[in-house]
Amino acid sequence: MSLRTVLRSFRETLTLRTRTRKVRVVGAGSAVLLAALAVAAPFLAQSASAVGTSSLPTCPFWTNVTPPARTTTPWVPPQQTASPVNLTGRLPAPSGITGSLSGSQVTITFNRVPGAQAYRVWRNGQSVAWITDWGQPALTATDTAPCQNAFYTVVALADQSGSDAAMGQLSVPYQLSSSGAVVPWQTPVGSTINMTVTSYNDGGLTASGYNSQLGVCAVDPRVIPWGTYFTVPGYGTCYAGDIGTWIQNHTVDVWLPGSQANGWGVQSRTITIIANPYGSTTPSSPSANPSASASVSASASPSASPSVPASPSASASASSTPPATGNLVANSGFETGALSPWTCDSGTGAVVSSPTHSGSHALQLTPTSSDDAQCSQSVAVQPNTTYKLTVWVQGNYAYLGANVPGGTASSTWTPGASGWTQLSTSITTGASTTSVTVWVHGWYGQSVVDVDDVSLSS
């Protein structure tokens, strides 16, 4: 059976399982019938306003990049098992999520979450709307490019920074059913799917907004909706919360630290869908969500390849001598005219004489469809210290962050800077942290990003 046939069969199964079951009223008198109608009225009203989805296109993947053919490689077992991640202490997902197709767009409504400042809505892992909360009791998002059997996910945000700390809990998945109504969806628990499983070690924010970490995995959200828990033999438990350029159709990318990602390689695994390990939830108040681990690395980007070079690691022992004061980043303004000691993804970073924010040189990043053009530098730091990290950038989708072994990482980004704009964040080292990796990068397939005057100071 071809992969295309398997996909078609799987999607047809998804559609069939979301059709509403018919209810038979046995021996119903007038009172019983009226009561039944009253209960069914909201659903009937929604169904009446929805239209069929047969005229919509099938859902495409978010990029037109065609992954190369990959064969199974030798496997080195990971040094740890991924436990189910959990963020139940964060803002809850919005309740009362409903929606329907009208004309060529889907309108989704939901109730506000106390304490939220904004909300995000995704369709198959792609952002549909960012909505500001100004106290309105109900909020509305519009998807102007819906597709058949699309999966929607909603999250409340504690602020509008786009950081991991702002992220609330992902809602359970919702699907645009064949009738045109947006309904709760749960991939049947116990379902098994044969997958190609690769690995990555990028740090920072995943596409959903949570920090990259053990247990948060990249999927094709058309096959495994975001917010789904599943197990991977030899890895542990995955939470679907990221995407990747090569992670299409029946492919999963698991997160592993450092060189363990290379050791995983490309494997064939049969994954199993499991229930939310933290208890059953109603569609209006789910608790299925990922968790930040004790040590989080940062490099705001979804998985882009099956195996990413490992980030430099910090020494295990604490330094007895504090690092120098002032800016700890070497060649911070690229005034040497060369990259060193910065290390950039091959062919994506270059020192230029124009444009610059200050001085006579700057760094220019050129992302590709399969590379976010990351440049990084290992910097000596003092344990148990908070540092401020800044950079001046211009261009679309510029990112700044640091990998902090044993400490608290952070990252920030801007969707667009037509002129020089300063990005700023902070990191805190742990008791044994003696070096961190500062990084900057652009975004897959986006425009050139200019970088200058990087600073890390206490």
Side-chain angles (χ1 to χ4, degrees), residues 278-304:
Y278 302 100
S280 60
T281 58
T282 62
S284 60
S285 181
S287 64
N289 43 70
S291 153
S293 60
S295 174
V296 179
S297 59
S299 156
S301 60
S303 160

Side-chain angles (χ1 to χ4, degrees), residues 37-96:
L37 289 174
V39 171
F43 174 77
L44 293 174
Q46 183 185 54
S47 297
S49 64
V51 295
T53 61
S54 59
S55 62
L56 297 179
T58 57
C59 291
F61 193 60
W62 61 277
T63 176
N64 58 6
V65 171
T66 300
R70 287 166 290 176
T71 57
T72 301
T73 63
W75 180 63
V76 178
Q79 298 172 17
Q80 66 286 299
T81 299
S83 301
V85 290
N86 174 34
L87 283 182
T88 52
R90 300 197 178 198
L91 286 176
S95 62

Side-chain angles (χ1 to χ4, degrees), residues 167-445:
M167 283 288 293
Q169 303 177 24
L170 287 179
S171 72
V172 295
Y174 284 74
Q175 186 185 48
L176 179 62
S177 68
S178 58
S179 70
V182 176
V183 296
W185 168 257
Q186 167 65 59
T187 305
V189 172
S191 299
T192 58
I193 310 172
N194 294 327
M195 290 282 186
T196 295
V197 182
T198 57
S199 181
Y200 72 112
N201 65 3
D202 286 357
L205 299 181
T206 61
S208 63
Y210 297 105
N211 279 335
S212 298
Q213 60 190 280
L214 190 69
V216 176
C217 301
V219 299
D220 184 336
R222 302 170 303 174
V223 178
I224 302 178
W226 275 2
T228 302
Y229 283 94
F230 58 96
T231 58
V232 179
Y235 178 76
T237 302
C238 270
Y239 181 82
D242 201 3
I243 54 178
T245 305
W246 290 2
I247 313 309
Q248 303 179 27
N249 300 316
H250 282 51
T251 304
V252 168
D253 216 15
V254 299
W255 190 92
L256 285 168
S259 60
Q260 292 187 53
N262 297 327
W264 179 278
V266 180
Q267 306 302 322
S268 178
R269 295 286 190 271
T270 299
I271 70 158
T272 302
I273 305 299
I274 65 172
N276 173 12
Y278 302 100
S280 60
T281 58
T282 62
S284 60
S285 181
S287 64
N289 43 70
S291 153
S293 60
S295 174
V296 179
S297 59
S299 156
S301 60
S303 160
S305 65
S307 179
V308 184
S311 302
S313 59
S315 169
S317 60
S319 171
S320 58
T321 303
T325 58
N327 187 4
L328 305 181
V329 178
N331 196 18
S332 60
F334 308 94
E335 294 306 311
T336 66
L339 284 172
S340 181
W342 292 89
T343 300
C344 300
D345 293 347
S346 178
T348 62
V351 175
V352 296
S353 57
S354 179
T356 66
H357 174 255
S358 68
S360 57
H361 292 90
L363 172 65
Q364 191 164 85
L365 307 176
T366 305
T368 69
S369 60
S370 60
D371 199 310
D372 61 4
Q374 178 166 294
C375 291
S376 61
Q377 178 184 148
S378 182
V379 180
V381 293
Q382 183 179 5
N384 296 322
T385 305
T386 297
Y387 292 89
K388 182 178 181 180
L389 178 63
T390 62
V391 68
W392 287 88
V393 298
Q394 66 176 2
N396 295 333
Y397 296 97
Y399 293 79
L400 167 72
N403 295 353
V404 186
T408 303
S410 182
S411 63
T412 186
W413 66 290
T414 175
S418 56
W420 286 101
T421 300
Q422 188 177 43
L423 298 179
S424 178
T425 188
S426 63
I427 63 172
T428 301
T429 57
S432 61
T433 308
T434 57
S435 70
V436 300
T437 301
V438 173
W439 51 259
V440 290
H441 65 70
W443 195 248
Y444 303 98

